[in-house]
């Protein structure tokens, strides 16, 4: 929810960030930011869904990924439409939507394996820490 809120704030607020003084503009930086925001949100949803799985493999069905992809695309498209509708001087930009879509696709392709690795690593560390704690208690 925090990630989704941050994405909405950054994409819909009239001036979400303070001005950075005399820094020269970086061409297409906003497209990279869109890619990272929507990829990050997609990855965060995959992380939460896998973390909540009871089985150790943390398998999510293909249907989950299809629904997630479609939901994220609708969210990205709606976000662009809202930018135009809110009248803050921001407009619908198909290239922003394409950057959002690219971030979503990259996250769908990479996040499941990365999340599995992160959760396995965390689980192993928890087990090791538990064993060390037990060893100290029995000594």
């Amino acid at each position: 929810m925090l990630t989704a809120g941050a994405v909405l704030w950054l994409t819909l607020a009239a001036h979400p960030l303070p001005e950075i003084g005399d820094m020269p503009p970086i061409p297409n930086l906003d497209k990279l930011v869109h890619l990272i925001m929507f990829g990050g949100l997609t990855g965060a949803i995959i992380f939460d869904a896998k973390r909540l799985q009871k089985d150790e493999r943390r398998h999510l069905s293909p249907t989950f990924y299809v629904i997630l992809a479609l939901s994220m695309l609708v969210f990205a498209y709606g976000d662009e439409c809202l930018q135009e509708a809110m009248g803050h001087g921001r407009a619908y930009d198909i290239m922003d939507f394409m950057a959002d879509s690219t971030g979503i696709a990259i996250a769908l392709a990479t996040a499941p394996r990365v999340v599995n690795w992160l959760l396995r690593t965390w689980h192993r560390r928890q087990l090791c820490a538990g064993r060390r704690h037990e060893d100290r208690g029995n000594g």
Side-chain angles (χ1 to χ4, degrees):
M1 295 302 285
L2 289 174
T3 307
V7 168
L8 288 172
W9 171 256
L10 290 169
T11 58
L12 296 178
H15 301 287
L17 299 174
E19 294 297 322
I20 305 179
D22 294 334
M23 184 176 157
I26 300 171
N28 296 316
L29 178 63
D30 68 314
K31 305 309 180 243
L32 178 62
V33 170
H34 274 264
L35 183 142
I36 291 168
M37 285 190 307
F38 280 84
L41 179 56
T42 304
I45 292 169
I46 291 170
F47 179 84
D48 283 343
K50 284 185 168 281
R51 185 179 54 84
L52 296 173
Q53 288 293 310
K54 299 296 180 204
D55 68 333
E56 200 164 305
R57 292 182 321 136
R58 301 186 192 293
H59 177 73
L60 299 172
S61 72
T63 304
F64 170 84
Y65 290 109
V66 169
I67 291 170
L68 177 59
L70 293 174
S71 299
M72 290 303 300
L73 290 170
V74 167
F75 179 65
Y77 181 76
D79 182 64
E80 283 302 312
C81 292
L82 277 172
Q83 285 183 36
E84 178 112 8
M86 290 180 68
H88 291 304
R90 299 175 84 171
Y92 174 88
D93 183 351
I94 189 68
M95 295 309 291
D96 284 351
F97 178 70
M98 296 305 293
D100 298 342
S101 302
T102 302
I104 293 165
I106 290 170
L108 288 167
T110 60
R113 286 190 175 148
V114 171
V115 168
N116 284 344
W117 177 81
L118 287 170
L119 291 173
R120 269 193 320 271
T121 302
W122 180 81
H123 184 68
R124 268 190 243 124
R125 287 185 180 172
Q126 294 299 107
L127 287 174
C128 289
R131 282 191 211 120
R132 279 186 293 223
H133 181 70
E134 287 174 7
D135 291 345
R136 279 189 223 129
N138 294 331

